[in-house]
């Protein structure tokens, strides 16, 4: 039996396991829709880097046509789950007309 390498990222009160696509706050699992957790994993794995909307769309929906609002909805869901509000984005920064960055 082989053991999977855990890719754990800690930020604020949260721990994200990118290999299992699971987010925790303390001992509680945070339920996030699959595409939103994929978005979070990609942003966290590329933390500090500006991810353009095109890069995110290609990464998350390769070979599928979806509207930009799908990405916007994922970011909205993530901000809500992470306890952010529109006046203070602690984890996910929006760079107008350019994309998003996990800070």
């Amino acid at each position: 039996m082989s053991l999977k390498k855990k890719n754990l990222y800690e930020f604020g009160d949260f721990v994200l396991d990118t290999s299992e696509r699971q987010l925790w706050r303390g001992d509680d699992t945070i339920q996030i829709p699959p595409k939103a957790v994929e978005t979070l994993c990609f942003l966290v794995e590329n933390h500090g880097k500006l991810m353009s909307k095109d890069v995110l769309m290609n990464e998350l929906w390769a070979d599928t046509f979806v509207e930009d609002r799908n990405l916007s909805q994922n970011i909205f869901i993530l901000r809500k789950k992470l306890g952010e509000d529109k006046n203070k984005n602690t984890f996910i920064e929006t760079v107008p007309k350019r994309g998003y960055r996990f800070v």
Side-chain angles (χ1 to χ4, degrees), residues 11 40 56 59:
F11 49 94
L40 180 61
L56 286 163
E59 177 68 25

Side-chain angles (χ1 to χ4, degrees), residues 4-103:
K4 234 186 214 183
K5 182 181 176 189
K6 294 276 185 179
N7 295 311
L8 300 176
Y9 294 87
E10 292 184 32
F11 49 94
D13 296 337
F14 299 95
V15 175
L16 175 67
D17 181 345
T18 56
S19 62
E20 295 292 326
R21 302 287 199 242
Q22 193 69 57
L23 179 68
W24 292 277
R25 176 183 259 161
D27 292 331
D28 298 325
T29 300
I30 308 295
Q31 297 299 317
I32 302 176
K35 215 40 113 166
V37 80
E38 283 183 45
T39 305
L40 180 61
C41 289
F42 186 72
L43 288 171
V44 168
E45 289 170 337
N46 291 283
H47 67 277
K49 298 177 187 172
L50 178 64
M51 295 288 114
S52 71
K53 289 181 181 182
D54 288 339
V55 166
L56 286 163
M57 296 293 283
N58 288 332
E59 177 68 25
L60 299 168
W61 290 281
D63 302 325
T64 305
F65 176 78
V66 295
E67 296 180 13
D68 285 351
R69 74 176 171 190
N70 291 67
L71 177 58
S72 299
Q73 181 65 24
N74 281 348
I75 298 296
F76 173 81
I77 290 167
L78 291 173
R79 286 185 169 142
K80 188 173 180 180
K81 296 290 185 175
L82 295 171
E84 295 188 345
D85 63 41
K86 69 179 185 176
N87 297 320
K88 186 178 179 191
N89 295 322
T90 307
F91 301 114
I92 301 172
E93 174 188 13
T94 299
V95 180
K97 307 286 185 196
R98 298 196 48 214
Y100 300 98
R101 176 181 8 241
F102 191 85
V103 296

